[in-house]
Amino acid sequence: MEVRSADCRALLPLPECLERDWARRALALLQGDAHRSADTHLIKPVFSGLDGISIYLKDESTHPTGSLKHRLARSLVLYGICNGHIRQGTTLVEASSGSTAVSEAYFAKLLGLPFIAVMPRSTSPQKISEIERFGGRCHFVESAAAVYAEAQSVAEQSGGHYLDQFTFAERATDWRGNNNIAESIFAQMEQETHPVPEWVIMSAGTGGTSATIGRYIRYRNLATRLCVVDVEHSAFYDCYNSGDRTTTCPRGSRIEGIGRPRVEPSFLPEVIDHMIRIPDVASIAAMQVLSDRIFRRVGGSTGTNFFGLCWIASEMLKQGRKGSLVSIVCDSGSRYTETYYNPDWLKAQGFELTPWKDALERFLDGGELSLPTG
């Protein structure tokens, strides 16, 4: 192709930049939300059996949309706007099992944008209702593994933007700081007896939060280690042990929001110090025990986190170690009244919680963790 020399006809009038004006207004709205909600409470329950070990729980259920995913949703929308993918009138599309979609629906409404959530039909009715209350629309698939391709297809058909939490979670958040969850935790710990935690313990859904925390720990050159707790019917644990990112699982996780049938792009095993996998019954038992102890209902993923924290604490007690442990309250249990807090649902799933709850209660009061067999 011949390249012509520049002439005065190429000197056009300056554009109005209406899209940039919309983006600036949108960013101001998102920044206002961040200032109001980013620094959630770090609560410190006391358990008499854990002598010398201080427990801290970052309560992300107090965000405006009730979960840890509020941070992720805001980051994904910011990432889309700053990369020029989200403009005035753009339809936002996400593949989500619930909480991320609730938060994204909130931000879509804040910015006046349409929102479509592609999710498994088994998603809890409470989450579906919350998405719709924010003006979002739910598009259902039968299998959790089908959400990715369907979300991409819906975005293409609508001319919208696929937010794709599973790919972009680890890169949309500024892991070096900017009041991300890791910076917030460590800032809040500064005046505590053991300000540098021995371990941060959490589960993985996209893998983005564990990536942020693991990177931040290394960036700050802290002695803290990161333990990720995986659940049944999830590919993450096997990937961590084998290094095989093609690992898949034929069934979807029963613990909403965590565990995935494939290894998500945002899951970074290289920044994780240890992983364990626990039975789903342990997650739900721990969820109910913790709810009773802190006088508020928490969700299933928080139960996963708390059981992993108890296991780490039991190992520290065996070794005579003291220090602090930090985990996360991911969301409120109010979203799971029809499932994890429903005796009929638990019975249908074959969950017998009593032995696990009894073991955890004895541990929290007496310091010895003796788990049910089988």
Side-chain angles (χ1 to χ4, degrees), residues 42-43 46 61 66 121 144 146 161 181 206 256 275 295 336 341:
L42 188 67
I43 62 178
V46 176
S61 72
R121 196 171 295 279
H161 172 61
I181 189 169
T206 63
E256 282 192 31
M275 276 196 78
F295 311 107
Y336 308 101
Y341 290 98

Side-chain angles (χ1 to χ4, degrees), residues 142-153:
E142 298 303 323
S143 166
V147 296
Y148 314 99
E150 188 67 12
Q152 184 66 58
S153 175

Side-chain angles (χ1 to χ4, degrees), residues 172-193:
T173 300
D174 183 355
W175 52 267
R176 284 174 289 267
N178 195 23
N179 202 26
N180 65 39
I181 189 169
E183 185 179 53
S184 180
I185 287 170
F186 284 94
Q188 289 173 313
M189 288 290 295
E190 286 178 354
Q191 303 302 316
E192 300 301 315
T193 303

Side-chain angles (χ1 to χ4, degrees), residues 156-287:
E156 291 172 357
Q157 292 170 16
S158 65
H161 172 61
Y162 177 23
L163 292 160
D164 196 359
Q165 59 168 323
F166 299 109
T167 296
F168 296 110
E170 56 87 10
R171 65 195 74 171
T173 300
D174 183 355
W175 52 267
R176 284 174 289 267
N178 195 23
N179 202 26
N180 65 39
I181 189 169
E183 185 179 53
S184 180
I185 287 170
F186 284 94
Q188 289 173 313
M189 288 290 295
E190 286 178 354
Q191 303 302 316
E192 300 301 315
T193 303
H194 303 286
V196 178
E198 290 286 308
W199 291 86
V200 175
I201 303 104
M202 64 166 303
S203 48
T206 63
T209 303
S210 63
T212 297
I213 293 173
R215 286 166 161 171
Y216 185 82
I217 288 169
R218 285 159 174 74
Y219 174 65
R220 289 283 309 279
N221 195 25
L222 299 168
T224 304
R225 288 162 290 176
L226 172 65
C227 176
V228 171
V229 191
D230 205 16
V231 293
E232 297 178 44
H233 313 304
S234 174
F236 291 141
Y237 179 79
D238 290 334
C239 167
Y240 178 81
N241 284 314
S242 68
D244 182 4
R245 295 193 68 91
T246 66
T247 299
T248 58
C249 183
R251 291 181 56 186
S253 170
R254 290 180 291 184
I255 308 301
E256 282 192 31
I258 60 173
R260 298 300 304 165
R262 71 175 193 181
V263 181
E264 303 297 350
S266 288
F267 178 68
L268 303 182
E270 296 83 3
V271 303
I272 298 168
D273 297 295
H274 186 57
M275 276 196 78
I276 59 175
R277 175 189 279 160
I278 67 171
D280 290 347
V281 66
S283 293
I284 298 172
M287 170 198 77

Side-chain angles (χ1 to χ4, degrees), residues 48-192:
S48 59
L50 307 189
D51 185 38
I53 299 178
S54 299
I55 304 301
Y56 299 87
L57 302 171
K58 181 73 165 164
D59 189 1
E60 295 290 283
S61 72
T62 60
H63 280 295
T65 54
S67 83
L68 168 67
K69 300 298 186 180
H70 192 86
R71 294 179 188 270
L72 173 59
R74 184 172 56 232
S75 294
L76 289 167
V77 174
L78 278 169
Y79 190 76
I81 292 172
C82 292
N83 281 286
H85 302 309
I86 298 175
R87 298 168 177 265
Q88 187 171 11
T90 299
T91 297
L92 305 184
V93 181
E94 184 61 281
S96 171
S97 62
S99 287
T100 302
V102 172
S103 298
E104 289 170 339
Y106 165 89
F107 284 110
K109 183 175 183 178
L110 182 68
L111 301 181
L113 302 175
F115 177 73
I116 302 172
V118 179
M119 60 175 59
R121 196 171 295 279
S122 60
T123 300
S124 69
Q126 289 94 333
K127 288 184 179 178
I128 294 168
S129 175
E130 289 173 11
I131 292 165
E132 293 174 343
R133 190 172 75 243
F134 286 126
R137 180 161 66 87
C138 298
H139 179 99
F140 298 104
V141 296
E142 298 303 323
S143 166
V147 296
Y148 314 99
E150 188 67 12
Q152 184 66 58
S153 175
V154 169
E156 291 172 357
Q157 292 170 16
S158 65
H161 172 61
Y162 177 23
L163 292 160
D164 196 359
Q165 59 168 323
F166 299 109
T167 296
F168 296 110
E170 56 87 10
R171 65 195 74 171
T173 300
D174 183 355
W175 52 267
R176 284 174 289 267
N178 195 23
N179 202 26
N180 65 39
I181 189 169
E183 185 179 53
S184 180
I185 287 170
F186 284 94
Q188 289 173 313
M189 288 290 295
E190 286 178 354
Q191 303 302 316
E192 300 301 315

